[in-house]
Amino acid sequence: EPEVTQTPSHQVTQMGQEVILRCVPISNHLYFYWYRQILGQKVEFLVSFYNNEISEKSEIFDDQFSVERPDGSNFTLKIRSTKLEDSAMYFCASSAQRGNNEQFFGPGTRLTVL
Amino acid sequence: RKEVEQDPGPFNVPEGATVAFNCTYSNSASQSFFWYRQDCRKEPKLLMSVYSSGNEDGRFTAQLNRASQYISLLIRDSKLSDSATYLCAVTPGNTGKLIFGQGTTLQVKP
């Protein structure tokens, strides 16, 4: 069964450093998403991406964040200068369509900012 | 009012019990509704979409009440393996993003 994959599973970084989280969405999916979940809190939407551009982004997704689809398979989330409050699980998701979309999530990257 | 609200529980039930969760949403223009299951420190896994007519998948039944703006999930004949957090998710209007509730924790005991 096709699945979303993410690397690394755990990333530890120093405050102020740049991190890149990687995702490989399901191969025939066209819509890609990033979500985050701070420990003990709910899953929060960050950004959606379609046709090589951002479709929608949340207030969390400020200038420190960017997304890219550098090739036909990878989808990345970059945080330029990490802050302590960026520590969270970051989930990538993909769906075949936008309307009535069933989104499938990757296993997540646990980001720890020290 | 929160966009999507769930009773966090925990719901502690014996094996074999029937348990129901509700989830309310504030945006009347919401279009799509889902239940996800999340195990501790794992990703949300899609359990089922929720359709206007209601739908069933084995021991799981989901229903949507647009007038009262809530969705429900019923689990029959609970198994130990059903122990998890159940997340309600909604897409507000004509948008692809999912808005999640806080989740309801279910603990099934032998």
Side-chain angles (χ1 to χ4, degrees):
Chain A
E1 187 177 317
E3 57 185 20
V4 177
T5 60
Q6 289 185 244
T7 54
S9 57
H10 192 185
Q11 173 94 45
V12 181
T13 190
Q14 295 289 326
M15 192 169 57
Q17 294 297 302
E18 174 183 286
V19 295
I20 298 176
L21 310 183
R22 291 183 166 78
C23 167
V24 178
I26 293 172
S27 62
N28 63 341
H29 283 185
L30 301 176
Y31 297 86
F32 315 118
Y33 311 84
W34 284 101
Y35 294 83
R36 79 170 187 190
Q37 186 175 32
I38 295 170
L39 188 63
Q41 297 188 24
K42 66 178 183 178
V43 178
E44 300 175 288
F45 168 77
L46 292 178
V47 65
S48 59
F49 192 86
Y50 169 70
N51 201 25
N52 282 319
E53 59 183 30
I54 291 174
S55 308
E56 189 173 4
K57 57 185 181 179
S58 71
E59 290 176 356
I60 303 167
F61 195 89
D62 61 21
D63 292 345
Q64 293 301 311
F65 291 86
S66 63
V67 289
E68 196 178 31
R69 188 154 163 82
D71 53 45
S73 59
N74 289 284
F75 178 50
T76 63
L77 174 70
K78 181 193 291 186
I79 309 175
R80 255 179 284 281
S81 177
T82 50
K83 303 188 279 285
L84 295 176
E85 55 265 37
D86 293 328
S87 296
M89 278 290 282
Y90 287 81
F91 295 110
C92 172
S94 69
S95 67
Q97 55 186 337
R98 192 177 76 168
N100 196 24
N101 60 333
E102 291 186 341
Q103 294 183 27
F104 297 90
F105 284 71
T109 293
R110 178 168 300 283
L111 177 65
T112 303
V113 182
L114 303 175
Chain B
R1 184 181 172 186
K2 292 180 185 175
E3 287 188 90
V4 179
E5 268 192 276
Q6 296 181 252
D7 179 351
F11 284 59
N12 294 303
V13 303
E15 267 186 294
T18 295
V19 62
F21 309 133
N22 280 341
C23 165
T24 58
Y25 59 94
S26 60
N27 188 340
S28 60
S30 297
Q31 291 193 352
S32 301
F33 309 88
F34 306 92
W35 283 103
Y36 281 80
R37 170 195 169 125
Q38 187 175 33
D39 292 287
C40 189
R41 294 179 176 260
K42 301 281 191 180
E43 75 273 24
K45 286 190 186 297
L46 181 64
L47 189 61
M48 55 201 306
S49 303
V50 187
Y51 304 120
S52 297
S53 54
N55 46 304
E56 188 173 306
D57 183 3
R59 298 182 292 111
F60 298 84
T61 301
Q63 294 200 308
L64 166 63
N65 185 319
R66 283 193 185 271
S68 300
Q69 292 180 211
Y70 77 83
I71 66 173
S72 63
L73 177 69
L74 182 80
I75 306 175
R76 288 181 298 279
D77 189 23
S78 301
K79 312 287 184 196
L80 295 176
S81 57
D82 293 334
S83 297
T85 297
Y86 290 84
L87 309 179
C88 161
V90 171
T91 58
N94 187 26
T95 170
K97 70 180 180 186
L98 290 174
I99 305 296
F100 282 88
Q102 185 78 14
T104 297
T105 299
L106 172 66
Q107 195 65 247
V108 181
K109 299 189 181 297

